[in-house]
Every structure is written in structure tokens, then in C-alpha cells.
Amino acid sequence: MIKVLAIDDEPLALKQLVNYISKVPFLELAGQCRSAIEAKEMMEQEVVDAIFCDINMPDLSGMDFVRQLAVPPLIVFTTAYSEYAVEGYRVNAVDYLLKPFGMNDFLRAAMKVQEQYNLRHQNAPQQQSSPLQNDGTIFVKTDYRVVRIAIADIRYIEGMSEYLKIHLDGQKPIITLLSMKKMEDYLPSTLFMRIHRSYIVNLQKIREVNKNRVILDADTSLPIGDLYKDTFNEYLEQKFLGK
């Protein structure tokens, strides 16, 4: 997940920005600020990967704020004034969103952020392996028990409000109190992908892709959400043989 900070002095614009961030599966809102000064204080306490920052703000403009950062994160500027575009790119902004912008424009900028984030981290030292990577299992609490699950047995995971329903090969589903985000972060991204707001699928269990659905077997097909199509299609393109 890419941790992002939303910065805008206009309450409605900030609310819209936060809403857009919440709809992008690979973005995580680290915080929201009404001024660059507030953002500066927050970034002294917490490291963020990217910021979506308005330019015209009182006391300290977004542009001046970015120039003051010793190690700036990935930057996307948002403003109602097109004349700032060139200046924005001079400070190596990833993108520039001209207000008013819609979800499609925001998503394109978010994809650019993801691309730059991946480039920055592809040569980074590998993090210490998580517990599930050591032996290929996880433990979850269900009813009054704690059970071990082999991740290779997971077919898909279904979100049900505050609970998850873990569908397994040859076993009854397990229901546990857990968030989709936490499960998504724990599972290896090379094997699992979130394809819908309510579904994470084991990529090795997919037998067929038909229009906007993945088919696991004759009785099980899962929808592909609009916000997840591009990421899933990129995976297909990497695996696809033919014209």
C-alpha cells in the first residue's frame, strides 16, 4: 500500500480528495491537512510515500512547502490555476490535476504515483519476511478457536462488512473478524490479488476470465470491480500468450 497525505485548505475539495483516495485499492490515507504548515508537522511525525497537495494555500503555498522538504515524497499538485503546471514539473511533480477534476483524472494520476513508487522500491533491500512467508501458513481466530490455514488452500476471500469469509479447497469456509486491508497486506502479492471491493482471489485458482468475471470452477465466479480492472489486466498481459 502507498501511504498518501491529502492537503487542501478548502474543506469540500479536501473531502473530495479523501473520497477519491479511499476508492483506489493501492492507496492508503495517512492523513488529511488543511494547510501546508499542518502537513509539515504531520510529516515530521510520520513518513508518507506520496502527497496530493493544493498549491494556493494561505501562509505557505504548496509549491513552497514542497521546495522546503529535504527528501520529498512523490508529489501530485492540485489547483484551479493552469499557469502553475510548468512550475510544478520543475520540482519533479509526478502529475498535476487541474480543478475541478473527476475520478478518472484522479485515477490516472494515482497510477502514475504507483508506477514511480514501484520504480523507487524495485531495487530497495528486501524487508524481513513476514510470519506467513516462513512456512506458508497464517493463523486466524474463528468462533472461540485459533486455526492454522495453509495459504495455498485459500481459493478466495470474501468481505462481509467487518468480517471475512475465507473459502478453502475441500473445506468449509472460515469466518473471521478481520479487515480486507489487513488480509491483503499479509498475503503475498505474487499469489493473491484484490479484484473487487469484496473479493481477494488466489491467482493460481483462476481457470478462466470471462468479460468482467474470473471463473474458478463451474459453480464459482467472481466479479472484477471497475477500480481493479487495470491492475488485473496488467497481470493478464504478463501471462498472456498470443496476439
Side-chain angles (χ1 to χ4, degrees):
M1 298 288 282
I2 302 172
K3 296 178 67 174
V4 301
L5 185 63
I7 311 167
D8 201 306
D9 64 309
E10 299 177 7
L12 291 179
L14 183 59
K15 183 178 180 180
Q16 182 189 56
L17 192 56
V18 169
N19 181 49
Y20 286 164
I21 291 170
S22 70
K23 293 180 178 179
V24 179
F26 51 81
L27 298 184
E28 177 187 354
L29 182 67
Q32 50 183 299
C33 302
R34 293 280 302 276
S35 71
I37 294 174
E38 182 183 348
K40 186 177 180 180
E41 293 174 353
M42 180 173 291
M43 289 176 66
E44 289 174 353
Q45 303 297 322
E46 183 174 1
V47 176
V48 298
D49 302 307
I51 61 173
F52 287 80
C53 183
D54 186 27
I55 292 178
N56 286 346
M57 292 185 290
D59 299 326
L60 181 64
S61 75
M63 199 71 69
D64 291 337
F65 164 61
V66 169
R67 289 195 183 100
Q68 292 180 9
L69 297 175
V71 184
L74 299 168
I75 311 293
V76 176
F77 283 120
T78 65
T79 185
Y81 302 94
S82 59
E83 60 266 27
Y84 287 111
V86 174
E87 191 176 358
Y89 288 117
R90 284 175 180 166
V91 294
N92 295 321
V94 173
D95 206 353
Y96 176 95
L97 288 169
L98 185 62
K99 297 178 181 179
F101 54 86
M103 183 62 202
N104 287 338
D105 294 325
F106 180 84
L107 187 55
R108 279 193 290 270
M111 293 294 287
K112 290 181 181 179
V113 168
Q114 184 187 44
E115 180 181 359
Q116 291 299 314
Y117 176 85
N118 290 339
L119 287 173
R120 284 189 177 188
H121 288 79
Q122 67 182 4
N123 295 321
Q126 294 293 316
Q127 294 180 347
Q128 185 176 0
S129 61
S130 65
L132 72 85
Q133 291 171 322
N134 291 333
D135 64 358
T137 65
I138 56 174
F139 284 91
V140 299
K141 186 175 182 180
T142 180
D143 296 326
Y144 299 101
R145 300 173 296 136
V146 175
V147 297
R148 183 197 295 267
I149 298 174
I151 61 171
D153 290 340
I154 299 174
R155 302 181 70 229
Y156 67 97
I157 296 162
E158 180 181 0
M160 303 185 305
S161 186
E162 297 177 348
Y163 290 83
L164 297 182
K165 190 173 186 179
I166 304 172
H167 297 261
L168 303 165
D169 283 330
Q171 305 174 50
K172 291 182 179 180
I174 292 175
I175 297 176
T176 184
L177 179 61
L178 200 64
S179 70
M180 287 287 281
K181 178 186 176 301
K182 186 166 185 179
M183 180 61 81
E184 187 179 9
D185 289 345
Y186 257 76
L187 293 173
S189 59
T190 54
L191 296 177
F192 291 85
M193 181 178 294
R194 191 167 182 177
I195 59 168
H196 187 276
R197 192 175 187 87
S198 301
Y199 293 104
I200 298 171
V201 67
N202 185 334
L203 296 168
Q204 295 188 337
K205 307 293 183 181
I206 297 174
R207 291 188 181 179
E208 184 180 331
V209 180
N210 192 336
K211 295 182 180 179
N212 294 325
R213 303 188 75 85
V214 297
I215 297 171
L216 279 62
D217 56 43
D219 300 318
T220 310
S221 68
L222 308 175
I224 303 171
D226 289 341
L227 291 177
Y228 303 82
K229 283 181 182 178
D230 289 344
T231 303
F232 184 72
N233 285 337
E234 286 178 9
Y235 164 77
L236 283 184
E237 288 175 4
Q238 292 173 1
K239 298 288 184 180
F240 187 73
L241 297 180
K243 296 182 179 180

